[in-house]
Amino acid sequence: MKDTRTLGSFPLRIKVSALVVLALAGLAIATGLSNYFYFRAVLKHEAIGRGKAISGTLASALVEMPDSAIGSTIASVKKEANLAYVEVVGPNGNIIAHTFEGRAPAQETTVLKEAERVQETSIDGNAVIDVPAPVITGSIVHVGLDPGAATTMVLEAQKLLIGITAAALFVFTLLTVFIVARFVDPLRKLTQVARRIVEGDLTQKVEVTTSDEVGELAAAFAQMVEKLKEVLRALQDSVKLLTDAGNELGQSTSEQSQTITRQATALQQTQVTAQEIKQTSLLAAQKAETVLKLTEKADEVSSQGESAIEKSLGGLTDIRAQVDEIAAKIAQLSERTQQIGGITQTVKDLADQSNMLALNAAIDAVRSGEHGKGFAVVAREIRSLADQSIQATNRVREILEDIGGAIRV
């Protein structure tokens, strides 16, 4: 299956560690190359100095040396000093003595007649450094140096340096991974907690002990979570109070309904009694005692109706007191909602400031070039975390606005 992951999908710890390791590797390679060319130049300079000393010494010795001893002398010097060649050139440019095997190879006349300047030339296809020294008699001593010997010494030293650099790079890589992990771990924990809180789980704890900007952001985030918990507890208490008030209101309504039923019954009885009185009045003469009894009964029923009405008025008074209490609780809930809105605004402002700091850090990282790429990555992660905080506060604000709208209704 083809891997379609991009650089942005890798964890921040891996990206920062890779950036630091690449920087260290580049520095090690640059240091190695510079050391190689520097030491090669130094060894070349020392070899030329040594060649001048040898050629000068031979030039002084050849003044009083017989011609028969010149060949053996320069051969001995070549062997002991590990030189490429030694040759003595006469005033007319002919080679008097040399250390080549057999005949002397063809050489440029300008090089053979040069008595002062050190030159890089080629003999039989091999690069050599020719170091001349004039003799008082007019002859010239030429000492040939092999530049490959210096290069070999530099390569040997470079191998040792590469081994040491590789070991140091490995150790620095481990240290970088450890340090970056310690730096990124609080951000990773804070991001996980933020995701769970966005999903509705407010039981998460923000455990970040650093004292830098990440620690400050974590502390502010922890305060926001605690405030949200307090809001939820206040809402739960308010719901409980509303439930109790509703139960009491329902009970009062039931009692009022029973009272009204009794009133209706009493009024019905009064109407029946009035009808009976009307009928009885036609027979007043004949049924005076009956009318008197019915009148007394009507009076008794009226007294009961008056008592029932007084009870109904008392129940309405209780209902009004409960409604006032509910209004006071709703006002307290509205104030708490406004306080939470202020807290969410503070968290949003802090997230905006973190976003601005991340933007400034990104700009500084761009100005810093290659060394600032790691800080640019960290700045983007902090900016992403600030955006998540803003989204969480906006969600809390929407919930609070819904609660405020329900309270106003």
Side-chain angles (χ1 to χ4, degrees):
M1 183 175 179
K2 187 177 179 180
D3 190 3
T4 59
R5 292 185 301 176
T6 60
L7 181 62
S9 63
F10 288 98
L12 179 62
R13 177 177 58 184
I14 295 178
K15 292 187 285 188
V16 175
S17 300
L19 181 63
V20 174
V21 170
L22 289 176
L24 291 175
L27 180 62
I29 292 173
T31 303
L33 291 176
S34 63
N35 288 336
Y36 170 76
F37 290 110
Y38 172 75
F39 285 121
R40 189 175 70 172
V42 169
L43 290 176
K44 179 181 178 180
H45 181 73
E46 290 181 353
I48 291 175
R50 185 169 64 91
K52 288 182 177 180
I54 293 173
S55 61
T57 302
L58 284 175
S60 300
L62 291 179
V63 175
E64 298 178 357
M65 185 179 297
D67 293 342
S68 60
I70 295 176
S72 59
T73 300
I74 61 176
S76 176
V77 171
K78 172 185 178 297
K79 182 178 180 180
E80 291 179 358
N82 193 21
L83 302 174
Y85 65 87
V86 178
E87 61 183 355
V88 180
V89 181
N92 56 357
N94 62 318
I95 299 176
I96 299 174
H98 62 83
T99 59
F100 298 105
E101 294 182 0
R103 294 183 59 185
Q107 301 179 49
E108 296 181 5
T109 305
T110 56
V111 175
L112 293 175
K113 292 183 177 181
E114 178 63 43
E116 298 291 342
R117 185 164 56 91
V118 177
Q119 302 181 73
E120 293 185 4
T121 184
S122 176
I123 298 178
D124 289 339
N126 298 320
V128 294
I129 299 175
D130 186 82
V131 182
V135 184
I136 296 177
T137 58
S139 301
I140 302 173
V141 177
H142 290 271
V143 174
L145 303 176
D146 184 8
T151 303
T152 302
M153 294 178 61
V154 172
L155 290 177
E156 291 296 329
Q158 195 72 12
K159 290 179 181 179
L160 178 61
L161 183 61
I162 290 173
I164 296 174
T165 303
L169 184 61
F170 177 74
V171 173
F172 277 113
T173 301
L174 295 179
L175 291 176
T176 300
V177 171
F178 175 75
I179 294 173
V180 171
R182 292 290 299 275
F183 176 75
V184 176
D185 188 62
L187 289 175
R188 182 178 57 81
K189 291 181 179 179
L190 189 58
T191 302
Q192 294 176 353
V193 172
R195 289 176 179 173
R196 293 183 180 179
I197 290 175
V198 170
E199 293 173 356
D201 185 7
L202 294 178
T203 61
Q204 299 297 318
K205 293 184 178 180
V206 181
E207 297 180 352
V208 179
T209 58
T210 58
S211 59
D212 52 6
E213 288 80 1
V214 176
E216 293 178 357
L217 178 61
F221 198 83
Q223 291 178 0
M224 184 190 71
V225 173
E226 292 299 325
K227 292 297 182 181
L228 288 176
K229 291 179 180 179
E230 292 179 1
V231 170
L232 287 179
R233 286 193 291 267
L235 289 176
Q236 291 174 353
D237 294 339
S238 299
V239 170
K240 184 178 180 182
L241 291 174
L242 289 174
T243 302
D244 294 341
N247 293 333
E248 293 178 1
L249 182 60
Q251 184 177 359
S252 300
T253 303
S254 177
E255 293 177 356
Q256 184 180 5
S257 177
Q258 294 177 1
T259 302
I260 292 173
T261 302
R262 288 195 297 270
Q263 291 175 357
T265 302
L267 290 173
Q268 186 178 5
Q269 290 177 359
T270 302
Q271 185 178 5
V272 172
T273 302
Q275 185 66 28
E276 290 177 355
I277 292 172
K278 182 178 179 181
Q279 294 176 0
T280 305
S281 63
L282 298 175
L283 301 173
Q286 298 175 0
K287 298 180 179 180
E289 292 182 359
T290 303
V291 172
L292 181 59
K293 291 180 180 179
L294 290 175
T295 302
E296 291 177 354
K297 185 176 181 180
D299 184 54
E300 182 180 353
V301 171
S302 297
S303 298
Q304 292 178 355
E306 182 180 359
S307 177
I309 290 173
E310 291 179 354
K311 291 182 179 179
S312 178
L313 291 174
L316 291 175
T317 302
D318 294 337
I319 292 172
R320 181 176 181 181
Q322 293 173 359
V323 169
D324 292 339
E325 184 179 355
I326 292 172
K329 296 296 183 180
I330 291 175
Q332 293 179 359
L333 179 60
S334 178
E335 292 178 358
R336 292 289 181 84
T337 304
Q338 293 177 357
Q339 292 177 359
I340 295 169
I343 294 171
T344 56
Q345 183 63 36
T346 300
V347 175
K348 182 178 180 300
D349 293 340
L350 181 58
D352 291 336
Q353 292 178 4
S354 300
N355 197 353
M356 184 60 66
L357 290 175
L359 178 61
N360 293 333
I363 294 172
D364 293 337
V366 170
R367 292 175 178 174
S368 299
E370 292 294 327
H371 298 286
K373 288 185 177 180
F375 297 101
V377 174
V378 175
R380 286 197 296 271
E381 291 296 330
I382 294 177
R383 188 175 182 182
S384 176
L385 183 58
D387 290 338
Q388 293 180 8
S389 300
I390 293 174
Q391 293 175 4
T393 55
N394 288 334
R395 182 176 176 185
V396 172
R397 179 175 292 176
E398 292 175 357
I399 294 172
L400 294 178
E401 289 177 355
D402 292 339
I403 294 174
I407 291 173
R408 288 190 294 271
V409 173

